Amino acid sequence: MRIPLQVVLLGLGIATATLIFEGAKRAMSGKHKRSPKQGDSPTAKEAKIARETAHVEETASVPTEKEVAAAEAARARLRGDQTTTASVRSCQLSFAVFHLDGVRLSRPFFFQTSEGKLPDGPEPVIVDIDYIASSQLLPLDNDNVKEQLQAAVQQLDAKDWTQAIHGLNVVRQAAVHHKHTLEPSLSKVVPLVLKSVKSLRSSLCKTAVMCVADLFSVFGNSMEPYIDMGSLTRPANSLLLQLLLKASSNDKRFVIEEVQQSLRVMAGSVEPAVSLDRLVPYAAHRNPKVRAQVAMVLTAAAEQMTPEDLMQYGNDKLLKVGGALVTDNTPDARTAARGLLTLLRKSHDTAASTASTSDGEKENSPAVVRDSSNISRNTDHALTSKPAVKDSRPACDDPKSNVDPWESYCRSMLAPSVAAAVLKVVNK
């Protein structure tokens, strides 16, 4: 069988082209793989590659066992793996290979473990907290009330917050049902309860605030020494200030409502004059939300007093405080101050009415019979005396004047702008 000439020529052409291509490829490969001769200096590109290689080798490090355990624990949490073993197997480090202009580099890429493990330690426990109302608190066992109370005091100082809550509830039970047993320990219990009030854990803080409300409700004036032990000089030790701060700065609404209720219980249980004395210094607190809470509690305390009691306590002091709060830049403070100013006006009007009534009774009383010599002497004096000088007292002091006594009182005690704000609010 004869092969056509064209096929033979085509095969020879293909073979020749293949040989030429392979030769060129070998030549190019030999050019790149040329080993540097002695005395040759490396090029800038080779020096850069060498520096990058050294930097990568220096920064590449083998992870520690702690890092391996943390990485595997994160993977287990993501995939919900609950079948973790009790030991950690050694980490097998795999390397990803990179090529940079013909230079082979190696650096860690990922960790491969056949069995993962979560970090050792107890798993978090979900705790359900019951907030027991005061009316539902049960009495303690009468056989060992003191022992239970001593254990509760120790729990109040425990690091475990669940034990602290249990201790607070025991103190509440003792306050409601065993008042005389708890009263000698108030000096020790109240600072520990204050510690829980300052806690950032909402459930513990609320339970402590409920305990404070029970203490105020049961012991009343006996709680007076513990209301403001630190005052402005030691705010961390002041139960009153910490309650005010919690009511104004906590981000949990159920805690704020509980604190406000506790402050109202304090205003209704302790002597109103004592509450006013403790609250007035905080009316100028730098925190505007605290000032708003102070205005609310001031009003609640003043509502417990009669107009005569307010007048006896000092309308002047409370009027200045109310004037400062009604011009405050916080709407809540201005709203609460209106109630206080309304009570002050009622007290002032009652006092003015009482004074006018007593003056009228004096004027209408029967005249005393005088002897004739005194009458003739007074008559001769009236004929020879000069005309009477007109009374120089302000018109506001004249009972027959048209000026409102409350308005004149406010203008005499307050700055003009503050007096105008007070009159505008109260006369609405």
Side-chain angles (χ1 to χ4, degrees):
M1 178 180 175
R2 297 180 60 185
I3 300 175
L5 181 61
Q6 294 82 352
V7 175
V8 175
L9 294 176
L10 179 60
L12 290 174
I14 293 173
T16 303
T18 303
L19 292 174
I20 294 173
F21 178 75
E22 291 293 336
K25 185 176 179 180
R26 284 193 297 272
M28 292 295 293
S29 176
K31 180 179 178 180
H32 282 286
K33 292 182 180 181
R34 181 179 65 85
S35 59
K37 297 179 180 179
Q38 187 176 4
D40 289 351
S41 59
T43 62
K45 189 173 184 180
E46 292 174 346
K48 181 180 179 182
I49 293 173
R51 287 194 302 270
E52 293 178 352
T53 303
H55 176 69
V56 170
E57 290 179 353
E58 290 177 359
T59 55
S61 59
V62 178
T64 62
E65 293 183 359
K66 187 176 180 180
E67 293 173 343
V68 173
E72 187 59 29
R75 291 196 198 94
R77 284 193 293 269
L78 288 175
R79 67 173 178 262
D81 188 7
Q82 301 296 332
T83 59
T84 57
T85 60
S87 62
V88 179
R89 304 186 69 180
S90 61
C91 175
Q92 301 174 351
L93 182 64
S94 298
F95 293 90
V97 180
F98 302 91
H99 294 276
L100 181 60
D101 273 350
V103 180
R104 185 173 182 274
L105 307 176
S106 298
R107 66 180 299 177
F109 182 59
F110 63 90
F111 307 124
Q112 180 180 1
T113 56
S114 57
E115 294 184 8
K117 175 184 176 298
L118 289 172
D120 294 335
E123 293 291 331
V125 180
I126 299 176
V127 181
D128 293 330
I129 303 299
D130 294 330
Y131 302 108
I132 307 172
S134 301
S135 59
Q136 298 177 354
L137 290 170
L138 299 177
L140 299 174
D141 187 2
N142 291 325
D143 296 335
N144 55 354
V145 174
K146 292 184 178 180
E147 290 77 4
Q148 289 179 278
L149 189 56
Q150 292 176 356
V153 171
Q154 295 178 356
Q155 289 176 337
L156 291 178
D157 203 19
K159 294 182 178 180
D160 188 356
W161 63 275
T162 56
Q163 293 185 13
I165 287 181
H166 181 268
L168 289 169
N169 285 327
V170 172
V171 171
R172 295 180 62 202
Q173 291 175 274
V176 174
H177 298 286
H178 311 278
K179 173 182 176 180
H180 299 292
T181 305
L182 178 61
E183 190 168 5
S185 304
L186 283 179
S187 59
K188 186 186 301 184
V189 170
V190 173
L192 295 175
V193 174
L194 174 60
K195 178 183 175 182
S196 298
V197 170
K198 295 186 289 185
S199 174
L200 298 178
R201 188 174 291 276
S202 302
S203 54
L204 178 58
C205 176
K206 177 174 178 177
T207 306
V209 171
M210 295 174 70
C211 183
V212 170
D214 290 334
L215 292 176
F216 277 126
S217 177
V218 172
F219 294 102
N221 291 328
S222 299
M223 286 289 293
E224 178 186 347
Y226 313 106
I227 294 177
D228 194 21
M229 290 186 292
S231 67
L232 291 172
T233 57
R234 291 179 298 164
N237 297 334
S238 173
L239 176 60
L240 175 60
L241 180 57
Q242 293 303 320
L243 290 174
L244 292 171
L245 288 173
K246 283 294 181 180
S248 57
S249 60
N250 198 280
D251 57 347
K252 301 295 191 299
R253 187 63 193 171
F254 69 94
V255 175
I256 294 176
E257 292 175 351
E258 197 65 44
V259 175
Q260 290 176 345
Q261 175 63 22
S262 178
L263 289 170
R264 285 192 290 267
V265 171
M266 182 201 73
S269 302
V270 182
E271 188 69 26
V274 174
S275 299
L276 293 177
D277 287 337
R278 301 294 187 273
L279 288 165
V280 165
Y282 295 106
H285 197 274
R286 61 183 178 179
N287 189 334
K289 293 184 178 180
V290 170
R291 296 196 298 269
Q293 297 299 324
V294 170
M296 179 194 72
V297 187
L298 277 173
T299 305
E303 288 176 348
Q304 307 298 321
M305 306 174 73
T306 63
E308 293 78 10
D309 292 337
L310 280 173
M311 201 69 186
Q312 184 178 2
Y313 176 80
N315 271 9
D316 299 349
K317 182 194 299 187
L318 294 178
L319 180 63
K320 293 178 181 179
V321 173
L325 291 173
V326 83
T327 56
D328 197 272
N329 57 2
T330 308
D332 293 339
R334 296 195 298 268
T335 302
R338 292 175 183 173
L340 177 62
L341 292 173
T342 302
L343 294 173
L344 292 178
R345 172 160 191 181
K346 186 183 296 183
S347 173
H348 181 271
D349 292 346
T350 302
S353 175
T354 304
S356 62
T357 302
S358 61
D359 291 342
E361 290 177 354
K362 290 181 181 180
E363 291 178 359
N364 297 329
S365 60
V368 179
V369 178
R370 293 169 293 181
D371 58 349
S372 58
S373 60
N374 289 338
I375 295 176
S376 60
R377 190 182 308 114
N378 291 338
T379 305
D380 295 339
H381 177 71
L383 293 175
T384 59
S385 63
K386 297 180 181 180
V389 181
K390 185 177 180 181
D391 191 0
S392 60
R393 293 181 300 171
C396 59
D397 293 338
D398 188 359
K400 298 181 180 179
S401 175
N402 293 328
V403 179
D404 185 9
W406 167 253
E407 180 178 350
S408 63
Y409 172 65
C410 291
R411 294 192 185 280
S412 64
M413 296 298 302
L414 304 172
S417 58
V418 179
V422 170
L423 294 171
K424 181 180 179 181
V425 168
V426 177
N427 291 334
K428 282 185 177 180

